[in-house]
Amino acid sequence: MNKYVERVYNGVIKENPTFVLMLGMCPTLAVTTSAMNGIGMGLTTAAVLIMSNMLISMLRRMIPDKVRMPAFIVVVASFVTIVQFLLQAYLPELNESLGIYIPLIVVNCIILGRAEAYASKNPVVLSILDGLGMGLGFTAGLTLIGAVRELLGSGSIFGLQVMPDSYEPLTIFILAPGAFFVLAMLTAIQNKLKLKSATNGEGAQEGERLACGGGCAQCVGRVCEANHDRLNAATADSNGKKEEQK
Amino acid sequence: MTELLLVLVGAALVNNVVLSQFLGICPFLGVSKKTQTAAGMGAAVIFVITISSACTYGIYQLILVPAGLEYMQTIVFIMVIAALVQLVEMLLKKKIPSLYQALGVYLPLITTNCAVLGVAINNITREYNFITSVVNGFGTASGFLIAIVIMAGIRERIEHNPVPKAFQGSPIVLITAGLMAIAFFGFSGII
């Protein structure tokens, strides 16, 4: 696999931000009341991520190391503002349903995490593809969670009635508690099947860090990298066990 | 006065910042293992959000509106909040070391917690005046404190209970949060 395809694959599957790295939990829980909202939020974030990765990668030699975080935040905030205006003008309905979560893309861990961990160290084309992969991975995660909640909560997917009329919708799933339950079941399934995820293994036992400890700008991708390390350790561990068995 | 009380109760209980608006999920899940740390984090959040509500409101009305730069809102707010937290941290360290001892560790954690920015933007979109903005900020942050302390209390008990293997770690925490969110629906009858 060449390195360009590898970047996209890495974002969508290997280090999927929603399922594997467990980043950007606020929008994941908040806007996924329907599959359509999930896809809208995912693509909006992806657009910001691709553009900010591109610009930060271009400027990576010009931004002094000491002020890099404020510089990154300004870049990201500018793109968020641009995207917000575009949505207001062309997709007012989506803008209405996502509401405050659009400006809050600024503090999404994924964006600053990728800027710090990848775009500030790598060439432009790779950074764009990294943003594309991560963005699509995030979109896939949100759409899937949104589809599950919409199916259980109103018996439809993308507004199309799927369930038979006799199905009594479990409204709780499109309300706030449903978000927590769906994500809980998802991580429980991952634990059960021992799929690779930041919530498995050592980290899960500590119970200390599901996603991150708090402020996204302060995290500067550390959570991203820590989750990455944890993932590698878990992979190495399971490989070791397999060899022992042989 | 009644209006302020309504905003306060509404922000703290009815539209709880964590359990119904999903802002500040990261610290809610990450720093809720012990009641004491949770309370410290909550107190720091109250401190920062109340001050930042006042500052962002002032900057918006006094600088951005007269200059016709309302669209710069997101960029300006995030920078103001980040700078403000740094400033508060330095000031506390110098002037009130005892308070710094209690809150200091948590301050850098919340620099750009989405709840802080979320409250600042909400204050503007809901067209609150200065007093209401500050009350809303204080109420929202109190809601965070209530939620995170209850969560920490429950988690301390969960530790001594046999949780099914697949649900150990984050899944049981998320289910707890879901049940708390249902419980908080009960408050919607207040207003």
Side-chain angles (χ1 to χ4, degrees), chain A residues 26 81 85 100-101 104 107 176 180 191 204 206-208 210 212-215 217-218, chain B residues 19 21-23 26 29-31 33 71 108-109 111-112 114 118 155 166 169-170 174:
Chain A
C26 297
T81 310
F85 282 129
I100 190 171
Y101 297 98
L104 287 180
V107 286
F180 289 113
N191 281 350
E206 289 165 25
E208 196 56 60
L210 171 64
C212 55
Q218 286 292 318
Chain B
L19 297 170
Q21 295 186 61
F22 301 106
L23 301 177
C26 298
L29 298 172
V31 204
K33 224 187 161 196
Y71 63 89
L109 280 177
T111 308
T112 41
C114 30
R155 277 180 80 173
S170 49
L174 288 166

PDB file of all heavy atoms in Angstrom, chain A residues 26 81 85 100-101 104 107 176 180 191 204 206-208 210 212-215 217-218, chain B residues 19 21-23 26 29-31 33 71 108-109 111-112 114 118 155 166 169-170 174:
ATOM      1  N   CYS A  26     -17.851  15.074  22.609  1.00  0.00           N
ATOM      2  CA  CYS A  26     -18.992  15.994  22.775  1.00  0.00           C
ATOM      3  C   CYS A  26     -19.915  15.980  21.551  1.00  0.00           C
ATOM      4  O   CYS A  26     -21.091  15.664  21.679  1.00  0.00           O
ATOM      5  CB  CYS A  26     -18.530  17.409  23.080  1.00  0.00           C
ATOM      6  SG  CYS A  26     -17.635  17.544  24.619  1.00  0.00           S
ATOM      7  N   THR A  81     -15.209  29.518  11.311  1.00  0.00           N
ATOM      8  CA  THR A  81     -16.076  30.664  11.010  1.00  0.00           C
ATOM      9  C   THR A  81     -16.506  30.651   9.548  1.00  0.00           C
ATOM     10  O   THR A  81     -17.682  30.868   9.233  1.00  0.00           O
ATOM     11  CB  THR A  81     -15.330  31.977  11.333  1.00  0.00           C
ATOM     12  OG1 THR A  81     -14.792  31.872  12.652  1.00  0.00           O
ATOM     13  CG2 THR A  81     -16.251  33.163  11.273  1.00  0.00           C
ATOM     14  N   PHE A  85     -20.407  30.218   8.120  1.00  0.00           N
ATOM     15  CA  PHE A  85     -21.113  31.140   7.216  1.00  0.00           C
ATOM     16  C   PHE A  85     -21.628  30.422   5.980  1.00  0.00           C
ATOM     17  O   PHE A  85     -22.729  30.680   5.505  1.00  0.00           O
ATOM     18  CB  PHE A  85     -20.217  32.311   6.818  1.00  0.00           C
ATOM     19  CG  PHE A  85     -20.130  33.343   7.900  1.00  0.00           C
ATOM     20  CD1 PHE A  85     -18.914  33.806   8.350  1.00  0.00           C
ATOM     21  CD2 PHE A  85     -21.290  33.847   8.477  1.00  0.00           C
ATOM     22  CE1 PHE A  85     -18.847  34.752   9.358  1.00  0.00           C
ATOM     23  CE2 PHE A  85     -21.232  34.783   9.482  1.00  0.00           C
ATOM     24  CZ  PHE A  85     -20.006  35.235   9.926  1.00  0.00           C
ATOM     25  N   ILE A 100     -25.148  25.258  18.193  1.00  0.00           N
ATOM     26  CA  ILE A 100     -23.929  25.700  18.864  1.00  0.00           C
ATOM     27  C   ILE A 100     -22.761  24.752  18.620  1.00  0.00           C
ATOM     28  O   ILE A 100     -21.602  25.124  18.795  1.00  0.00           O
ATOM     29  CB  ILE A 100     -24.185  25.856  20.370  1.00  0.00           C
ATOM     30  CG1 ILE A 100     -23.016  26.550  21.044  1.00  0.00           C
ATOM     31  CG2 ILE A 100     -24.450  24.525  21.034  1.00  0.00           C
ATOM     32  CD1 ILE A 100     -23.252  26.930  22.450  1.00  0.00           C
ATOM     33  N   TYR A 101     -23.039  23.523  18.181  1.00  0.00           N
ATOM     34  CA  TYR A 101     -21.938  22.566  18.008  1.00  0.00           C
ATOM     35  C   TYR A 101     -21.058  22.902  16.809  1.00  0.00           C
ATOM     36  O   TYR A 101     -19.969  22.358  16.678  1.00  0.00           O
ATOM     37  CB  TYR A 101     -22.478  21.144  17.935  1.00  0.00           C
ATOM     38  CG  TYR A 101     -23.141  20.782  19.231  1.00  0.00           C
ATOM     39  CD1 TYR A 101     -24.514  20.874  19.387  1.00  0.00           C
ATOM     40  CD2 TYR A 101     -22.377  20.445  20.336  1.00  0.00           C
ATOM     41  CE1 TYR A 101     -25.116  20.612  20.599  1.00  0.00           C
ATOM     42  CE2 TYR A 101     -22.958  20.191  21.549  1.00  0.00           C
ATOM     43  CZ  TYR A 101     -24.330  20.272  21.677  1.00  0.00           C
ATOM     44  OH  TYR A 101     -24.907  20.031  22.888  1.00  0.00           O
ATOM     45  N   LEU A 104     -18.344  25.128  18.128  1.00  0.00           N
ATOM     46  CA  LEU A 104     -17.576  24.322  19.082  1.00  0.00           C
ATOM     47  C   LEU A 104     -16.633  23.325  18.403  1.00  0.00           C
ATOM     48  O   LEU A 104     -15.867  22.652  19.081  1.00  0.00           O
ATOM     49  CB  LEU A 104     -18.508  23.584  20.039  1.00  0.00           C
ATOM     50  CG  LEU A 104     -19.185  24.475  21.081  1.00  0.00           C
ATOM     51  CD1 LEU A 104     -20.088  23.665  21.981  1.00  0.00           C
ATOM     52  CD2 LEU A 104     -18.173  25.216  21.921  1.00  0.00           C
ATOM     53  N   VAL A 107     -12.941  23.532  19.434  1.00  0.00           N
ATOM     54  CA  VAL A 107     -12.318  22.832  20.556  1.00  0.00           C
ATOM     55  C   VAL A 107     -12.423  21.320  20.431  1.00  0.00           C
ATOM     56  O   VAL A 107     -12.237  20.602  21.396  1.00  0.00           O
ATOM     57  CB  VAL A 107     -12.900  23.286  21.914  1.00  0.00           C
ATOM     58  CG1 VAL A 107     -12.387  24.645  22.277  1.00  0.00           C
ATOM     59  CG2 VAL A 107     -14.396  23.261  21.899  1.00  0.00           C
ATOM     60  N   ALA A 176     -31.334  12.746  25.275  1.00  0.00           N
ATOM     61  CA  ALA A 176     -29.968  12.730  25.787  1.00  0.00           C
ATOM     62  C   ALA A 176     -29.495  11.376  26.347  1.00  0.00           C
ATOM     63  O   ALA A 176     -28.409  10.920  25.983  1.00  0.00           O
ATOM     64  CB  ALA A 176     -29.803  13.825  26.833  1.00  0.00           C
ATOM     65  N   PHE A 180     -25.769   8.231  25.630  1.00  0.00           N
ATOM     66  CA  PHE A 180     -24.860   7.539  26.538  1.00  0.00           C
ATOM     67  C   PHE A 180     -25.015   6.027  26.408  1.00  0.00           C
ATOM     68  O   PHE A 180     -24.035   5.287  26.371  1.00  0.00           O
ATOM     69  CB  PHE A 180     -25.141   7.954  27.986  1.00  0.00           C
ATOM     70  CG  PHE A 180     -24.721   9.352  28.311  1.00  0.00           C
ATOM     71  CD1 PHE A 180     -25.653  10.324  28.598  1.00  0.00           C
ATOM     72  CD2 PHE A 180     -23.379   9.696  28.338  1.00  0.00           C
ATOM     73  CE1 PHE A 180     -25.268  11.613  28.905  1.00  0.00           C
ATOM     74  CE2 PHE A 180     -22.984  10.986  28.650  1.00  0.00           C
ATOM     75  CZ  PHE A 180     -23.934  11.949  28.937  1.00  0.00           C
ATOM     76  N   ASN A 191     -15.179  -4.188  23.854  1.00  0.00           N
ATOM     77  CA  ASN A 191     -14.477  -4.898  24.924  1.00  0.00           C
ATOM     78  C   ASN A 191     -14.685  -6.399  24.798  1.00  0.00           C
ATOM     79  O   ASN A 191     -13.759  -7.191  24.942  1.00  0.00           O
ATOM     80  CB  ASN A 191     -15.002  -4.451  26.290  1.00  0.00           C
ATOM     81  CG  ASN A 191     -14.415  -3.123  26.714  1.00  0.00           C
ATOM     82  OD1 ASN A 191     -13.492  -2.615  26.090  1.00  0.00           O
ATOM     83  ND2 ASN A 191     -14.954  -2.548  27.755  1.00  0.00           N
ATOM     84  N   ALA A 204      -8.587   0.885  30.028  1.00  0.00           N
ATOM     85  CA  ALA A 204      -9.955   0.666  30.471  1.00  0.00           C
ATOM     86  C   ALA A 204      -9.988   0.242  31.925  1.00  0.00           C
ATOM     87  O   ALA A 204     -10.863   0.640  32.675  1.00  0.00           O
ATOM     88  CB  ALA A 204     -10.607  -0.396  29.603  1.00  0.00           C
ATOM     89  N   GLU A 206      -7.883   1.040  34.283  1.00  0.00           N
ATOM     90  CA  GLU A 206      -7.680   2.228  35.117  1.00  0.00           C
ATOM     91  C   GLU A 206      -8.967   3.026  35.182  1.00  0.00           C
ATOM     92  O   GLU A 206      -9.279   3.635  36.183  1.00  0.00           O
ATOM     93  CB  GLU A 206      -6.590   3.122  34.536  1.00  0.00           C
ATOM     94  CG  GLU A 206      -5.179   2.556  34.664  1.00  0.00           C
ATOM     95  CD  GLU A 206      -4.221   3.305  33.767  1.00  0.00           C
ATOM     96  OE1 GLU A 206      -4.506   4.470  33.446  1.00  0.00           O
ATOM     97  OE2 GLU A 206      -3.205   2.717  33.382  1.00  0.00           O
ATOM     98  N   GLY A 207      -9.685   2.999  34.085  1.00  0.00           N
ATOM     99  CA  GLY A 207     -10.933   3.755  34.039  1.00  0.00           C
ATOM    100  C   GLY A 207     -10.693   5.247  34.100  1.00  0.00           C
ATOM    101  O   GLY A 207     -11.612   6.048  34.218  1.00  0.00           O
ATOM    102  N   GLU A 208      -9.451   5.642  34.030  1.00  0.00           N
ATOM    103  CA  GLU A 208      -9.102   7.038  34.256  1.00  0.00           C
ATOM    104  C   GLU A 208      -9.381   7.887  33.018  1.00  0.00           C
ATOM    105  O   GLU A 208      -9.883   8.982  33.115  1.00  0.00           O
ATOM    106  CB  GLU A 208      -7.622   7.108  34.620  1.00  0.00           C
ATOM    107  CG  GLU A 208      -7.160   8.396  35.244  1.00  0.00           C
ATOM    108  CD  GLU A 208      -7.941   8.745  36.490  1.00  0.00           C
ATOM    109  OE1 GLU A 208      -7.937   7.974  37.465  1.00  0.00           O
ATOM    110  OE2 GLU A 208      -8.572   9.808  36.483  1.00  0.00           O
ATOM    111  N   LEU A 210     -11.183   7.959  29.464  1.00  0.00           N
ATOM    112  CA  LEU A 210     -11.959   7.457  28.347  1.00  0.00           C
ATOM    113  C   LEU A 210     -11.520   8.176  27.094  1.00  0.00           C
ATOM    114  O   LEU A 210     -11.141   7.589  26.110  1.00  0.00           O
ATOM    115  CB  LEU A 210     -13.441   7.688  28.576  1.00  0.00           C
ATOM    116  CG  LEU A 210     -14.281   7.384  27.354  1.00  0.00           C
ATOM    117  CD1 LEU A 210     -14.195   5.931  26.991  1.00  0.00           C
ATOM    118  CD2 LEU A 210     -15.708   7.778  27.591  1.00  0.00           C
ATOM    119  N   CYS A 212     -10.218  12.063  27.224  1.00  0.00           N
ATOM    120  CA  CYS A 212      -9.103  12.902  27.632  1.00  0.00           C
ATOM    121  C   CYS A 212      -9.424  13.534  28.960  1.00  0.00           C
ATOM    122  O   CYS A 212     -10.542  13.441  29.466  1.00  0.00           O
ATOM    123  CB  CYS A 212      -8.808  13.948  26.574  1.00  0.00           C
ATOM    124  SG  CYS A 212     -10.221  14.929  26.145  1.00  0.00           S
ATOM    125  N   GLY A 213      -8.470  14.224  29.513  1.00  0.00           N
ATOM    126  CA  GLY A 213      -8.643  14.737  30.862  1.00  0.00           C
ATOM    127  C   GLY A 213      -9.344  16.067  30.934  1.00  0.00           C
ATOM    128  O   GLY A 213      -9.700  16.532  32.002  1.00  0.00           O
ATOM    129  N   GLY A 214      -9.532  16.748  29.855  1.00  0.00           N
ATOM    130  CA  GLY A 214     -10.191  18.034  29.974  1.00  0.00           C
ATOM    131  C   GLY A 214     -10.050  18.915  28.765  1.00  0.00           C
ATOM    132  O   GLY A 214     -10.668  18.678  27.751  1.00  0.00           O
ATOM    133  N   GLY A 215      -9.226  19.939  28.865  1.00  0.00           N
ATOM    134  CA  GLY A 215      -9.177  20.956  27.829  1.00  0.00           C
ATOM    135  C   GLY A 215      -8.541  20.447  26.555  1.00  0.00           C
ATOM    136  O   GLY A 215      -7.512  19.797  26.559  1.00  0.00           O
ATOM    137  N   ALA A 217      -7.387  22.267  23.932  1.00  0.00           N
ATOM    138  CA  ALA A 217      -6.236  22.992  23.416  1.00  0.00           C
ATOM    139  C   ALA A 217      -4.983  22.638  24.203  1.00  0.00           C
ATOM    140  O   ALA A 217      -3.882  22.617  23.670  1.00  0.00           O
ATOM    141  CB  ALA A 217      -6.470  24.483  23.499  1.00  0.00           C
ATOM    142  N   GLN A 218      -5.172  22.351  25.479  1.00  0.00           N
ATOM    143  CA  GLN A 218      -4.020  22.011  26.304  1.00  0.00           C
ATOM    144  C   GLN A 218      -3.505  20.617  25.978  1.00  0.00           C
ATOM    145  O   GLN A 218      -2.367  20.301  26.271  1.00  0.00           O
ATOM    146  CB  GLN A 218      -4.404  22.088  27.783  1.00  0.00           C
ATOM    147  CG  GLN A 218      -4.546  23.503  28.286  1.00  0.00           C
ATOM    148  CD  GLN A 218      -3.226  24.217  28.321  1.00  0.00           C
ATOM    149  OE1 GLN A 218      -2.206  23.662  28.719  1.00  0.00           O
ATOM    150  NE2 GLN A 218      -3.218  25.463  27.891  1.00  0.00           N
TER     151      GLN A 218
ATOM    152  N   LEU B  19     -25.299  16.638  31.108  1.00  0.00           N
ATOM    153  CA  LEU B  19     -26.242  15.542  30.877  1.00  0.00           C
ATOM    154  C   LEU B  19     -27.289  15.841  29.823  1.00  0.00           C
ATOM    155  O   LEU B  19     -27.901  14.937  29.300  1.00  0.00           O
ATOM    156  CB  LEU B  19     -26.919  15.167  32.200  1.00  0.00           C
ATOM    157  CG  LEU B  19     -25.925  14.643  33.233  1.00  0.00           C
ATOM    158  CD1 LEU B  19     -26.581  14.526  34.586  1.00  0.00           C
ATOM    159  CD2 LEU B  19     -25.365  13.304  32.814  1.00  0.00           C
ATOM    160  N   GLN B  21     -26.780  18.878  27.504  1.00  0.00           N
ATOM    161  CA  GLN B  21     -26.168  19.605  26.384  1.00  0.00           C
ATOM    162  C   GLN B  21     -24.886  18.960  25.882  1.00  0.00           C
ATOM    163  O   GLN B  21     -24.322  19.368  24.867  1.00  0.00           O
ATOM    164  CB  GLN B  21     -25.840  21.038  26.798  1.00  0.00           C
ATOM    165  CG  GLN B  21     -27.039  21.878  27.113  1.00  0.00           C
ATOM    166  CD  GLN B  21     -26.623  23.307  27.365  1.00  0.00           C
ATOM    167  OE1 GLN B  21     -26.066  23.970  26.513  1.00  0.00           O
ATOM    168  NE2 GLN B  21     -26.849  23.778  28.569  1.00  0.00           N
ATOM    169  N   PHE B  22     -24.384  17.983  26.613  1.00  0.00           N
ATOM    170  CA  PHE B  22     -23.157  17.271  26.219  1.00  0.00           C
ATOM    171  C   PHE B  22     -21.950  18.174  26.055  1.00  0.00           C
ATOM    172  O   PHE B  22     -21.133  17.966  25.172  1.00  0.00           O
ATOM    173  CB  PHE B  22     -23.354  16.492  24.922  1.00  0.00           C
ATOM    174  CG  PHE B  22     -24.441  15.474  25.004  1.00  0.00           C
ATOM    175  CD1 PHE B  22     -25.640  15.682  24.385  1.00  0.00           C
ATOM    176  CD2 PHE B  22     -24.248  14.316  25.724  1.00  0.00           C
ATOM    177  CE1 PHE B  22     -26.647  14.741  24.462  1.00  0.00           C
ATOM    178  CE2 PHE B  22     -25.245  13.379  25.816  1.00  0.00           C
ATOM    179  CZ  PHE B  22     -26.452  13.595  25.178  1.00  0.00           C
ATOM    180  N   LEU B  23     -21.848  19.206  26.875  1.00  0.00           N
ATOM    181  CA  LEU B  23     -20.630  20.010  26.832  1.00  0.00           C
ATOM    182  C   LEU B  23     -19.770  19.613  28.036  1.00  0.00           C
ATOM    183  O   LEU B  23     -20.286  19.392  29.123  1.00  0.00           O
ATOM    184  CB  LEU B  23     -20.962  21.497  26.892  1.00  0.00           C
ATOM    185  CG  LEU B  23     -21.854  21.996  25.762  1.00  0.00           C
ATOM    186  CD1 LEU B  23     -22.186  23.457  25.958  1.00  0.00           C
ATOM    187  CD2 LEU B  23     -21.179  21.790  24.434  1.00  0.00           C
ATOM    188  N   CYS B  26     -15.552  15.437  28.247  1.00  0.00           N
ATOM    189  CA  CYS B  26     -14.210  14.892  28.508  1.00  0.00           C
ATOM    190  C   CYS B  26     -13.843  14.939  29.993  1.00  0.00           C
ATOM    191  O   CYS B  26     -13.543  13.909  30.573  1.00  0.00           O
ATOM    192  CB  CYS B  26     -13.161  15.601  27.656  1.00  0.00           C
ATOM    193  SG  CYS B  26     -13.405  15.384  25.895  1.00  0.00           S
ATOM    194  N   LEU B  29     -16.018  12.589  32.203  1.00  0.00           N
ATOM    195  CA  LEU B  29     -15.671  11.170  32.220  1.00  0.00           C
ATOM    196  C   LEU B  29     -14.253  10.949  32.727  1.00  0.00           C
ATOM    197  O   LEU B  29     -13.953   9.939  33.332  1.00  0.00           O
ATOM    198  CB  LEU B  29     -15.801  10.582  30.808  1.00  0.00           C
ATOM    199  CG  LEU B  29     -17.195  10.626  30.193  1.00  0.00           C
ATOM    200  CD1 LEU B  29     -17.134  10.198  28.746  1.00  0.00           C
ATOM    201  CD2 LEU B  29     -18.147   9.740  30.961  1.00  0.00           C
ATOM    202  N   GLY B  30     -13.387  11.932  32.471  1.00  0.00           N
ATOM    203  CA  GLY B  30     -11.964  11.727  32.764  1.00  0.00           C
ATOM    204  C   GLY B  30     -11.565  12.009  34.199  1.00  0.00           C
ATOM    205  O   GLY B  30     -10.687  11.358  34.739  1.00  0.00           O
ATOM    206  N   VAL B  31     -12.198  13.000  34.844  1.00  0.00           N
ATOM    207  CA  VAL B  31     -11.758  13.414  36.179  1.00  0.00           C
ATOM    208  C   VAL B  31     -12.810  13.089  37.230  1.00  0.00           C
ATOM    209  O   VAL B  31     -12.926  13.786  38.222  1.00  0.00           O
ATOM    210  CB  VAL B  31     -11.434  14.926  36.203  1.00  0.00           C
ATOM    211  CG1 VAL B  31     -10.454  15.247  37.311  1.00  0.00           C
ATOM    212  CG2 VAL B  31     -10.845  15.383  34.884  1.00  0.00           C
ATOM    213  N   LYS B  33     -13.192  10.180  38.995  1.00  0.00           N
ATOM    214  CA  LYS B  33     -12.961   8.907  39.677  1.00  0.00           C
ATOM    215  C   LYS B  33     -13.050   9.046  41.189  1.00  0.00           C
ATOM    216  O   LYS B  33     -13.461   8.134  41.884  1.00  0.00           O
ATOM    217  CB  LYS B  33     -11.595   8.352  39.278  1.00  0.00           C
ATOM    218  CG  LYS B  33     -11.696   6.867  38.979  1.00  0.00           C
ATOM    219  CD  LYS B  33     -10.353   6.241  38.747  1.00  0.00           C
ATOM    220  CE  LYS B  33     -10.467   4.745  38.926  1.00  0.00           C
ATOM    221  NZ  LYS B  33      -9.151   4.136  39.094  1.00  0.00           N
ATOM    222  N   TYR B  71     -18.733  38.758  13.476  1.00  0.00           N
ATOM    223  CA  TYR B  71     -18.373  37.459  12.910  1.00  0.00           C
ATOM    224  C   TYR B  71     -17.062  36.915  13.459  1.00  0.00           C
ATOM    225  O   TYR B  71     -16.725  35.754  13.266  1.00  0.00           O
ATOM    226  CB  TYR B  71     -18.333  37.524  11.380  1.00  0.00           C
ATOM    227  CG  TYR B  71     -17.287  38.465  10.835  1.00  0.00           C
ATOM    228  CD1 TYR B  71     -15.997  38.006  10.591  1.00  0.00           C
ATOM    229  CD2 TYR B  71     -17.585  39.802  10.564  1.00  0.00           C
ATOM    230  CE1 TYR B  71     -15.028  38.858  10.101  1.00  0.00           C
ATOM    231  CE2 TYR B  71     -16.626  40.653  10.080  1.00  0.00           C
ATOM    232  CZ  TYR B  71     -15.346  40.187   9.848  1.00  0.00           C
ATOM    233  OH  TYR B  71     -14.401  41.029   9.383  1.00  0.00           O
ATOM    234  N   PRO B 108      -5.351  24.480  34.129  1.00  0.00           N
ATOM    235  CA  PRO B 108      -4.915  24.290  32.735  1.00  0.00           C
ATOM    236  C   PRO B 108      -5.798  23.293  32.003  1.00  0.00           C
ATOM    237  O   PRO B 108      -5.943  23.366  30.789  1.00  0.00           O
ATOM    238  CB  PRO B 108      -3.498  23.717  32.880  1.00  0.00           C
ATOM    239  CG  PRO B 108      -3.112  23.891  34.274  1.00  0.00           C
ATOM    240  CD  PRO B 108      -4.334  24.076  35.089  1.00  0.00           C
ATOM    241  N   LEU B 109      -6.416  22.386  32.762  1.00  0.00           N
ATOM    242  CA  LEU B 109      -7.247  21.369  32.122  1.00  0.00           C
ATOM    243  C   LEU B 109      -8.476  21.947  31.446  1.00  0.00           C
ATOM    244  O   LEU B 109      -9.054  21.333  30.569  1.00  0.00           O
ATOM    245  CB  LEU B 109      -7.725  20.355  33.168  1.00  0.00           C
ATOM    246  CG  LEU B 109      -6.735  19.277  33.585  1.00  0.00           C
ATOM    247  CD1 LEU B 109      -7.348  18.415  34.669  1.00  0.00           C
ATOM    248  CD2 LEU B 109      -6.376  18.399  32.405  1.00  0.00           C
ATOM    249  N   THR B 111      -8.796  25.118  30.046  1.00  0.00           N
ATOM    250  CA  THR B 111      -8.593  26.299  29.224  1.00  0.00           C
ATOM    251  C   THR B 111      -9.642  26.422  28.138  1.00  0.00           C
ATOM    252  O   THR B 111     -10.323  27.429  28.035  1.00  0.00           O
ATOM    253  CB  THR B 111      -7.213  26.271  28.556  1.00  0.00           C
ATOM    254  OG1 THR B 111      -6.266  26.039  29.567  1.00  0.00           O
ATOM    255  CG2 THR B 111      -6.940  27.557  27.852  1.00  0.00           C
ATOM    256  N   THR B 112      -9.746  25.402  27.320  1.00  0.00           N
ATOM    257  CA  THR B 112     -10.741  25.505  26.262  1.00  0.00           C
ATOM    258  C   THR B 112     -11.669  24.320  26.289  1.00  0.00           C
ATOM    259  O   THR B 112     -12.041  23.784  25.268  1.00  0.00           O
ATOM    260  CB  THR B 112     -10.089  25.638  24.885  1.00  0.00           C
ATOM    261  OG1 THR B 112      -8.990  24.752  24.865  1.00  0.00           O
ATOM    262  CG2 THR B 112      -9.669  27.033  24.615  1.00  0.00           C
ATOM    263  N   CYS B 114     -15.017  22.637  26.178  1.00  0.00           N
ATOM    264  CA  CYS B 114     -16.078  23.164  25.312  1.00  0.00           C
ATOM    265  C   CYS B 114     -17.180  23.851  26.098  1.00  0.00           C
ATOM    266  O   CYS B 114     -17.859  24.728  25.574  1.00  0.00           O
ATOM    267  CB  CYS B 114     -16.645  22.120  24.368  1.00  0.00           C
ATOM    268  SG  CYS B 114     -16.623  20.444  24.919  1.00  0.00           S
ATOM    269  N   GLY B 118     -18.897  27.203  25.044  1.00  0.00           N
ATOM    270  CA  GLY B 118     -20.323  27.016  24.806  1.00  0.00           C
ATOM    271  C   GLY B 118     -21.161  28.036  25.554  1.00  0.00           C
ATOM    272  O   GLY B 118     -22.076  28.640  24.983  1.00  0.00           O
ATOM    273  N   ARG B 155     -19.301   6.374  41.018  1.00  0.00           N
ATOM    274  CA  ARG B 155     -18.170   5.562  40.536  1.00  0.00           C
ATOM    275  C   ARG B 155     -17.384   4.951  41.682  1.00  0.00           C
ATOM    276  O   ARG B 155     -16.861   3.844  41.566  1.00  0.00           O
ATOM    277  CB  ARG B 155     -17.243   6.408  39.663  1.00  0.00           C
ATOM    278  CG  ARG B 155     -17.733   6.498  38.243  1.00  0.00           C
ATOM    279  CD  ARG B 155     -16.818   7.318  37.392  1.00  0.00           C
ATOM    280  NE  ARG B 155     -15.647   6.564  36.950  1.00  0.00           N
ATOM    281  CZ  ARG B 155     -14.777   7.058  36.072  1.00  0.00           C
ATOM    282  NH1 ARG B 155     -14.958   8.260  35.568  1.00  0.00           N
ATOM    283  NH2 ARG B 155     -13.744   6.337  35.700  1.00  0.00           N
ATOM    284  N   ALA B 166     -17.288  -7.289  30.169  1.00  0.00           N
ATOM    285  CA  ALA B 166     -17.322  -6.428  28.993  1.00  0.00           C
ATOM    286  C   ALA B 166     -17.679  -4.992  29.355  1.00  0.00           C
ATOM    287  O   ALA B 166     -17.346  -4.063  28.630  1.00  0.00           O
ATOM    288  CB  ALA B 166     -18.311  -6.974  27.979  1.00  0.00           C
ATOM    289  N   GLY B 169     -14.751  -0.547  33.096  1.00  0.00           N
ATOM    290  CA  GLY B 169     -14.128   0.628  32.483  1.00  0.00           C
ATOM    291  C   GLY B 169     -15.181   1.599  31.988  1.00  0.00           C
ATOM    292  O   GLY B 169     -16.154   1.880  32.682  1.00  0.00           O
ATOM    293  N   SER B 170     -14.997   2.078  30.745  1.00  0.00           N
ATOM    294  CA  SER B 170     -15.879   3.148  30.288  1.00  0.00           C
ATOM    295  C   SER B 170     -17.348   2.775  30.071  1.00  0.00           C
ATOM    296  O   SER B 170     -18.211   3.607  30.352  1.00  0.00           O
ATOM    297  CB  SER B 170     -15.302   3.779  29.035  1.00  0.00           C
ATOM    298  OG  SER B 170     -14.961   2.779  28.123  1.00  0.00           O
ATOM    299  N   LEU B 174     -20.513   5.174  31.175  1.00  0.00           N
ATOM    300  CA  LEU B 174     -21.457   5.790  30.233  1.00  0.00           C
ATOM    301  C   LEU B 174     -22.897   5.420  30.586  1.00  0.00           C
ATOM    302  O   LEU B 174     -23.802   6.261  30.490  1.00  0.00           O
ATOM    303  CB  LEU B 174     -21.141   5.342  28.805  1.00  0.00           C
ATOM    304  CG  LEU B 174     -19.868   5.954  28.221  1.00  0.00           C
ATOM    305  CD1 LEU B 174     -19.455   5.221  26.964  1.00  0.00           C
ATOM    306  CD2 LEU B 174     -20.092   7.421  27.905  1.00  0.00           C
TER     307      LEU B 174
END
